[in-house]
C-alpha cells in the first residue's frame, strides 16, 4: 500500500515542493529525507524471518500452507528458462515504462491537448486512490485468487491507459487513463511481491528479483526519451500508445500459456 501511494502521490508532492522552493531546493529536501530514512533502514531492517525464529506466514500453519511447504527453489538460470519469468517481467516493465514516461511529461502531455498544469497534476490524486484500493484488495485476495488473473488485469489496465492517452482530449480518454494507471500501479506492488517467491521459491530470491529489477530500470530509463521523441517528431504523445498496444497484444498472447513452474 505504501509503495502504491508513494508512486502515485509523489508527482503531487514534488510539484508542490518545486512551486514553493524551486527545483534546486527540492532536490536538497529530498536528499535530506533519504538520509533520515537510511537511518531507519540501518536500525530496523532485518533479513529472513527464519533468522529470528519466525515463520513468514505466522505461527499457525493451515493445511493449505502445509501443502505448499515443499517449494522448489529455482536458480536465476532456471527461472529465466520459464515463460512466466519473462512475461511477468514484461508486464511489470510495462508499468515502469508507461508510468515513468507519462509522469516525466505529464504537464506537456496535458498542455498538448488543451489542459493546464494544475489539471495535469491533479489527476494523480484519483490515481492514488485507485492504486491504494487496488493494492489493498489485491493483497487481501492474493491467497484465494489465481495469480494469473492479476496478470490479465494488469494487461487490461495497460490497454486502458494506452487508449486513454490516445483519446485524452475526450472525457472517456481521461477516465481510461486514470483508471488504467491506478490499477496498474496498485497491482504492480502485489504482483512484484507475490510472484517471485510463489513461483520460484525464496532461496535464490535476491538474484531473481535483482534481474527483474534490471529489466524495470531499463524500461524506466527508455520511457522519457521515447515519449519525448514521439512528441518531437509526430507532435503528439499518442504515438507512444500505438507502440504500447502492440507490446500488450504480444504479452497477452504469450501470457495465455503462462503457468506456475511449481505445478
Amino acid at each position: 500500500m505504501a509503495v502504491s501511494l508513494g508512486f502515485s502521490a509523489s508527482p503531487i508532492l514534488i510539484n508542490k515542493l518545486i512551486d514553493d522552493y524551486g527545483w534546486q531546493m527540492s532536490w536538497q529536501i529530498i536528499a535530506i529525507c533519504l538520509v533520515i530514512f537510511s537511518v531507519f533502514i540501518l536500525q530496523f531492517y532485518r533479513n529472513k524471518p527464519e533468522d529470528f525464529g519466525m515463520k513468514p506466514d505466522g505461527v499457525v500453519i493451515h493445511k493449505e500452507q502445509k501443502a505448499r511447504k515443499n517449494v522448489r527453489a529455482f536458480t536465476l538460470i532456471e527461472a529465466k528458462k520459464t515463460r512466466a519469468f519473462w512475461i511477468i517481467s514484461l508486464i511489470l516493465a510495462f508499468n515502469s515504462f508507461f508510468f515513468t514516461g507519462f509522469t516525466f511529461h505529464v504537464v506537456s502531455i496535458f498542455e498538448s491537448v488543451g489542459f493546464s498544469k494544475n489539471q495535469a497534476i491533479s489527476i494523480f490524486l484519483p490515481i492514488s486512490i485507485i492504486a491504494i484500493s487496488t493494492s489493498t484488495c489485491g493483497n487481501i485476495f492474493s491467497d484465494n485468487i489465481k495469480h494469473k488473473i492479476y496478470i490479465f488485469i494488469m494487461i487490461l489496465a495497460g490497454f486502458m491507459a494506452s487508449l486513454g492517452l490516445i483519446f485524452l482530449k475526450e472525457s472517456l480518454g481521461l477516465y481510461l487513463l486514470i483508471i488504467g494507471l491506478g490499477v496498474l500501479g496498485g497491482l504492480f506492488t502485489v504482483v512484484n511481491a507475490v510472484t517471485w517467491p510463489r513461483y520460484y521459491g525464496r532461496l535464490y530470491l535476491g538474484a531473481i528479483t535483482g534481474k527483474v529489477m534490471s529489466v524495470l530500470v531499463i524500461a524506466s530509463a527508455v520511457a522519457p526519451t521515447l515519449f519525448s521523441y514521439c512528441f518531437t517528431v509526430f507532435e503528439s504523445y499518442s504515438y507512444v500508445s500505438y507502440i504500447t498496444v502492440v507490446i500488450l497484444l504480444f504479452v497477452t498472447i504469450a501470457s495465455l500459456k503462462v503457468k506456475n513452474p511449481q505445478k
Side-chain angles (χ1 to χ4, degrees), residues 61-76:
I61 306 296
H62 299 290
K63 291 181 180 179
E64 310 88 63
Q65 293 172 324
K66 285 183 179 179
R68 296 201 303 262
K69 199 171 182 181
N70 296 321
V71 177
R72 177 189 169 189
F74 284 74
T75 65
L76 174 58

Side-chain angles (χ1 to χ4, degrees), residues 74-86 200 208 261:
F74 284 74
T75 65
L76 174 58
I77 294 175
E78 291 172 330
K80 289 194 295 183
K81 293 178 180 178
T82 66
R83 180 188 293 256
F85 177 86
W86 293 108
Y200 303 106
I208 292 171

Side-chain angles (χ1 to χ4, degrees), residues 19-31:
D19 287 344
D20 292 347
Y21 302 104
W23 68 265
Q24 294 95 331
M25 181 60 72
S26 297
W27 275 119
Q28 296 174 39
I29 293 172
I30 293 172

Side-chain angles (χ1 to χ4, degrees), residues 23 28-29 51 81 94 117 147 163 197 203 206:
W23 68 265
Q28 296 174 39
I29 293 172
D51 292 347
K81 293 178 180 178
F94 175 86
K117 175 185 176 181
H147 198 61
L163 293 175
L203 186 59

Side-chain angles (χ1 to χ4, degrees), residues 93-141:
F94 175 86
N95 175 79
S96 297
F97 172 87
F98 200 96
F99 202 94
T100 303
F102 175 79
T103 304
F104 268 53
H105 297 280
V106 62
V107 175
S108 178
I109 289 171
F110 274 76
E111 286 180 347
S112 69
V113 293
F115 291 98
S116 67
K117 175 185 176 181
N118 288 336
Q119 288 175 312
I121 300 299
S122 67
I123 73 160
F124 288 102
L125 179 59
I127 289 175
S128 300
I129 295 172
I130 295 172
I132 295 171
S133 302
T134 303
S135 179
T136 303
C137 294
N139 279 302
I140 291 173
F141 297 112

Side-chain angles (χ1 to χ4, degrees), residues 216-254:
L216 304 189
V217 170
I218 292 171
S220 292
V222 170
T225 301
L226 186 57
F227 269 72
S228 179
Y229 180 81
C230 284
F231 185 69
T232 301
V233 175
F234 303 109
E235 298 183 350
S236 173
Y237 288 100
S238 62
Y239 286 90
V240 175
S241 290
Y242 299 135
I243 299 172
T244 58
V245 166
V246 172
I247 294 172
L248 287 170
L249 285 172
F250 166 78
V251 174
T252 301
I253 296 170

